[in-house]
Amino acid sequence: DLPRELHSWRQMADYSPEMRQFACLLHLYHIKAYDYLRKILPLPHPYSLTKQAAAGFSSDIFLQLQEKVERGDQAYRHCAVLVQDVSLQKQQEWDPQTKRLTGFVDLGAGTLDADEAPLASEAIILMAVGISSPWTAPLGNFLVNSTSGHFLAQLLRQAISKLNSIGIVVLVVTSGASARGAETARALGIRINARRIRCTFQHPPGSAHSIAYFFDVCHALLLVRNALQCFQKVEWLGDTMWWQHVVELAALREQRALELCSPESGRAGSKGSYHLKVNLATLLFSEGVAEALEHLQKLGLASFQNCSGTVKFVRLMSSLCDVFYSRSLYGKEPLLAGNYTKISSLFEEAKSCFVNLKDSLGRYIIKSKRKLGFLCFLLNAESLKWLSSNYTFPEDTPSHHLHTHAFSLDPLEQFLRVLQQACGSSGSPTCAVFQAAYHKLLASCSLAPGSPHSSANASPWHVSLWQRRALTLGSIRFQCHPAPGRTLAPEYPYSAGLLLPSSALSNALTDLSLYAQSLTCTAGWLAEQLALDLQCEACLASLFETDESRLRCSSVLYIKKLGGLSLPSASVHHITSISEQVLNQYSKVGGATKNTKLWYLPLEQKVFQELLGESPLFPTLTNHLFEGELSINNHYTVLVKEITRSYLNVRTNPAQHLNLKYPCGRHKLKRLKGKHLFPSPLGSCQSS
């Protein structure tokens, strides 16, 4: 199909689809071979191969980046390049606009119009991420049938060359911690061996410029978790880590504390008991889990004796995660350009541990088939040490911090989450749907730091931890003890006095003490429902009234209960109280049809207006408010929105949310024993 005459290869406009396919494939698979053939055949310049295609590199993005660099913006002079694949449905479709079949392999030169053209099963996406400033830029997508590490390595080199040509220096490349990722690293020249690690490669090959290689930390943590779960017991240098300690912690059922709480200042004579409850949103490898194990050991629980080795290992992994997941000045501490000494001792401790890890039979894990996760951490440690000691910030750089969060795949996975939502389905999209969604996002892409294009449409409820859900204590509990669907606890129907639709007359005749009691019951039930979905440890702890004097970490909570109901925190109670007041006022005014989106929006806005100027909510989240990339997406704002929306939904649709079988008037309000002693949470946020 390719012409032999040299004059047929002269101008790009004369290139047939077959010629463009041949040139693009040859350049992607072997750059040196392409450069050699350019001396014989007038092949097109590599830059012009994909600039006119739907797939391939996005020329508009590169032009925007070039403009930033030419204006002298130092934040765009250095970046990391991330690579990730997306599964596609192998399906051909007819495009009525182009009058062509779609769904085939496309590497940037268009699809080959022939019966032999293979259907695409994957999309490879490349993204550039700022190192000293949180900007992101999707560089391109490539539709492939199957791929290898060598192909991804050539694709990465081509992306690096294109970035270098517009004045951007690539310092880091990140891929997933998988067999394909390891093959990609080796194809680039990375050596992954515990005794001899080479963490950088040269680009162009043979030049003096080196680029560090990272594996995604979240993927590596999953591999480490799988290894520990497989071996159950690992030993190193006199210490022993037992996986069963983690399983027992995740499976620990709610237990009543021995001491009774003294009466609150709200109502004389009220008593409530504190119950020990595990925060299932806690990450497995976190300081919270280490403190929880130590606390349960001090309580004398038999399942947690001799867990010092487990605590030591979990604490080591937590420290590594703190280094590799620094986000901003408000989150975990960013890595300063010159603090090599600070991280070096931690990495030496980790290397000593990983290299000497043995299973119960005395075999070294670093030489086993479960070694990749540990090798990924060793390579990342060497890469970060090299970067910290060799990379210096220009004097006019706005932020002299290395945001190691940029070395993970989190920015790209957030973009993919928005892309999946734009595709309109939870499964694998077809090529046509994927391309339409990708170019729609690309059209609204902004390269400004903190731009919402990668996360604005993603649910902020999971803005920081949604991709790490498999690493929580909740996931471990579900593996060991799969739970049935959600059910309403039998104690909760006595809150139906408030939740069931009621008339103005019935409201006037309702006992005010029962009304306040019902409001608190509803807020407590709401907190427990939100806790089932919440993936942030600190935010989940802020939903309940807890005894902070017992334990300051939020992985083990002492939640106050009365009559089997978890009492909500003062902030949750205050938000639900304001929501109820607004609902009572607004429901008397005619307007839009109830239970529609237009009816709920004014209610939510009115609640937010009432909350403005009040005492600050969630005082325990002071250092946690700015972990979202946008002010509208930080955890404080998300909590207020979710509590308000959930309460309004439950309040106006009780039968739908509580599965109530009886209409209004048939449910009897269950009373607690004794007087009307159900205390409403008191504190700085108490409503009048």
Side-chain angles (χ1 to χ4, degrees):
D1 295 332
L2 301 178
R4 297 181 180 179
E5 298 79 8
L6 294 181
H7 63 80
S8 299
W9 295 78
R10 293 187 183 279
Q11 297 179 359
M12 188 66 178
D14 297 330
Y15 293 158
S16 66
E18 293 80 9
M19 296 163 70
R20 289 197 297 270
Q21 281 280 339
F22 170 76
C24 188
L25 280 171
L26 179 60
H27 185 264
L28 286 176
Y29 278 103
H30 209 295
I31 296 177
K32 289 185 177 180
Y34 189 85
D35 293 338
Y36 175 78
L37 282 181
R38 282 199 75 205
K39 300 176 182 179
I40 303 174
L41 297 173
L43 295 173
H45 190 276
Y47 181 75
S48 63
L49 286 176
T50 62
K51 66 179 184 180
Q52 296 176 342
F57 290 105
S58 305
S59 57
D60 291 340
I61 294 294
F62 281 92
L63 288 175
Q64 293 181 48
L65 289 172
Q66 186 175 2
E67 293 176 358
K68 299 281 188 182
V69 174
E70 291 176 351
R71 287 201 300 265
D73 196 334
Q74 292 296 327
Y76 295 85
R77 294 301 301 271
H78 302 89
C79 76
V81 174
L82 318 180
V83 59
Q84 180 72 301
D85 60 274
V86 179
S87 177
L88 300 176
Q89 290 186 35
K90 296 181 68 174
Q91 177 180 335
Q92 66 178 24
E93 296 177 291
W94 177 256
D95 187 350
Q97 295 183 349
T98 61
K99 301 188 183 300
R100 294 173 64 91
L101 288 172
T102 63
F104 301 98
V105 169
D106 188 353
L107 299 178
T111 58
L112 183 63
D113 188 13
D115 293 336
E116 295 81 7
L119 291 172
S121 60
E122 292 179 81
I124 307 298
I125 298 182
L126 297 173
M127 173 177 281
V129 180
I131 292 179
S132 60
S133 180
W135 58 266
T136 58
L139 300 178
N141 71 97
F142 301 84
L143 307 181
V144 298
N145 182 30
S146 62
T147 186
S148 64
H150 291 276
F151 172 78
L152 291 180
Q154 293 297 331
L155 199 61
L156 285 167
R157 286 194 179 276
Q158 186 169 349
I160 295 170
S161 297
K162 292 177 74 67
L163 289 169
N164 290 346
S165 67
I166 60 176
I168 297 179
V169 178
V170 178
L171 296 176
V172 171
V173 165
T174 302
S175 72
S178 61
R180 183 185 295 175
E183 184 185 7
T184 303
R186 285 190 288 266
L188 289 171
I190 302 299
R191 182 180 298 158
I192 312 173
N193 186 286
R195 301 296 180 182
R196 300 174 60 190
I197 290 181
R198 181 190 297 160
C199 63
T200 62
F201 64 95
Q202 283 69 43
H203 184 85
S207 66
H209 178 65
S210 296
I211 299 175
Y213 197 95
F214 282 82
F215 288 107
D216 180 66
V217 176
C218 179
H219 293 177
L221 286 173
L222 288 172
L223 295 180
V224 171
R225 184 207 65 178
N226 294 343
L228 296 176
Q229 196 169 14
C230 175
F231 293 116
Q232 292 292 311
K233 171 189 173 183
V234 294
E235 301 174 345
W236 80 101
L237 302 178
D239 291 304
T240 304
M241 192 277 182
W242 295 86
W243 178 253
Q244 188 61 27
H245 289 145
V246 178
V247 174
E248 293 290 344
L249 175 61
L252 187 66
R253 295 299 176 182
E254 190 173 292
Q255 300 182 23
R256 181 175 180 177
L258 297 179
E259 300 176 10
L260 285 176
C261 178
S262 59
E264 296 284 346
S265 59
R267 296 179 183 176
S270 66
K271 286 187 178 181
S273 60
Y274 283 97
H275 289 241
L276 185 148
K277 179 183 180 68
V278 175
N279 190 332
L280 296 179
T282 306
L283 290 175
L284 166 60
F285 300 111
S286 65
E287 181 64 23
V289 167
E291 292 180 354
L293 291 173
E294 288 179 329
H295 179 70
L296 295 175
Q297 184 181 24
K298 292 178 181 178
L299 291 180
L301 298 183
S303 302
F304 302 97
Q305 300 307 306
N306 302 319
C307 66
S308 58
T310 305
V311 170
K312 185 176 181 179
F313 186 87
V314 169
R315 189 160 276 149
L316 173 63
M317 298 300 299
S318 174
S319 299
L320 291 175
C321 292
D322 287 347
V323 172
F324 289 118
Y325 264 114
S326 67
R327 289 172 173 268
S328 66
L329 294 173
Y330 305 104
K332 295 182 177 67
E333 179 185 1
L335 181 65
L336 297 176
N339 63 352
Y340 173 86
T341 305
K342 182 177 180 180
I343 63 173
S344 181
S345 59
L346 172 64
F347 291 161
E348 289 300 323
E349 180 185 358
K351 182 176 181 180
S352 176
C353 173
F354 296 162
V355 170
N356 292 286
L357 275 179
K358 297 179 182 179
D359 62 10
S360 57
L361 299 178
R363 298 171 297 189
Y364 285 101
I365 294 178
I366 205 69
K367 297 180 181 179
S368 70
K369 295 181 180 179
R370 296 285 183 177
K371 62 184 178 182
L372 183 56
F374 302 99
L375 289 176
C376 289
F377 272 100
L378 293 179
L379 178 70
N380 286 5
E382 293 298 323
S383 295
L384 195 56
K385 287 196 296 184
W386 177 88
L387 198 61
S388 179
S389 58
N390 289 273
Y391 174 62
T392 57
F393 289 95
E395 294 182 358
D396 54 350
T397 302
S399 174
H400 286 209
H401 294 85
L402 288 176
H403 295 274
T404 54
H405 174 251
F407 307 155
S408 71
L409 291 180
D410 283 10
L412 180 51
E413 289 184 346
Q414 288 183 12
F415 176 80
L416 294 180
R417 183 177 177 83
V418 180
L419 187 64
Q420 184 182 44
Q421 292 180 348
C423 290
S425 64
S426 58
S428 300
T430 64
C431 286
V433 172
F434 171 83
Q435 287 285 10
Y438 181 88
H439 288 286
K440 180 180 179 180
L441 290 181
L442 207 63
S444 60
C445 175
S446 172
L447 302 184
S451 169
H453 82 272
S454 62
S455 58
N457 296 325
S459 173
W461 197 234
H462 309 288
V463 70
S464 64
L465 295 178
W466 66 266
Q467 69 274 22
R468 286 175 269 173
R469 180 177 298 187
L471 291 168
T472 61
L473 292 179
S475 68
I476 298 174
R477 172 182 284 191
F478 183 78
Q479 283 183 346
C480 302
H481 307 282
R486 301 180 189 180
T487 57
L488 186 63
E491 297 90 351
Y492 292 162
Y494 64 78
S495 65
L498 170 66
L499 293 176
L500 289 175
S502 56
S503 63
L505 179 60
S506 62
N507 279 338
L509 298 178
T510 300
D511 188 342
L512 293 181
S513 64
L514 296 181
Y515 183 85
Q517 172 181 320
S518 181
L519 180 63
T520 307
C521 290
T522 306
W525 178 85
L526 191 66
E528 294 195 351
Q529 297 303 303
L530 292 176
L532 296 175
D533 291 324
L534 192 54
Q535 295 298 309
C536 176
E537 175 186 356
C539 290
L540 190 151
S542 70
L543 296 176
F544 301 100
E545 181 178 343
T546 59
D547 185 2
E548 298 180 2
S549 63
R550 295 174 181 264
L551 190 63
R552 293 188 176 181
C553 73
S554 54
S555 54
V556 172
L557 307 173
Y558 282 93
I559 296 178
K560 189 175 183 180
K561 286 199 166 190
L562 192 61
L565 176 70
S566 299
L567 295 187
S569 66
S571 298
V572 174
H573 183 271
H574 182 61
I575 295 173
T576 55
S577 177
I578 294 297
S579 300
E580 177 64 20
Q581 293 176 19
V582 170
L583 184 62
N584 287 334
Q585 295 174 1
Y586 193 86
S587 60
K588 301 175 183 178
V589 181
T593 305
K594 291 187 176 182
N595 302 332
T596 63
K597 187 174 182 180
L598 291 178
W599 190 76
Y600 280 111
L601 283 177
L603 289 178
E604 295 176 10
Q605 294 176 359
K606 185 64 177 177
V607 172
F608 300 151
Q609 291 174 3
E610 293 291 334
L611 292 173
L612 289 176
E614 298 270 350
S615 301
L617 301 170
F618 305 109
T620 59
L621 300 182
T622 304
N623 298 325
H624 186 61
L625 300 184
F626 300 97
E627 293 214 357
E629 294 183 1
L630 299 173
S631 59
I632 60 172
N633 271 2
N634 65 52
H635 289 202
Y636 178 91
T637 309
V638 168
L639 274 178
V640 175
K641 287 181 179 179
E642 290 295 327
I643 293 170
T644 302
R645 290 172 181 172
S646 299
Y647 180 81
L648 292 177
N649 286 333
V650 172
R651 176 65 173 82
T652 54
N653 297 284
Q656 176 182 352
H657 293 276
L658 299 180
N659 298 320
L660 300 178
K661 299 180 180 180
Y662 303 101
C664 178
R666 296 289 301 278
H667 242 305
K668 294 184 178 180
L669 188 65
K670 183 177 179 180
R671 296 289 296 269
L672 297 177
K673 294 181 179 180
K675 301 178 181 180
H676 305 301
L677 301 179
F678 201 98
S680 61
L682 299 176
S684 60
C685 299
Q686 184 181 7
S687 61
S688 56

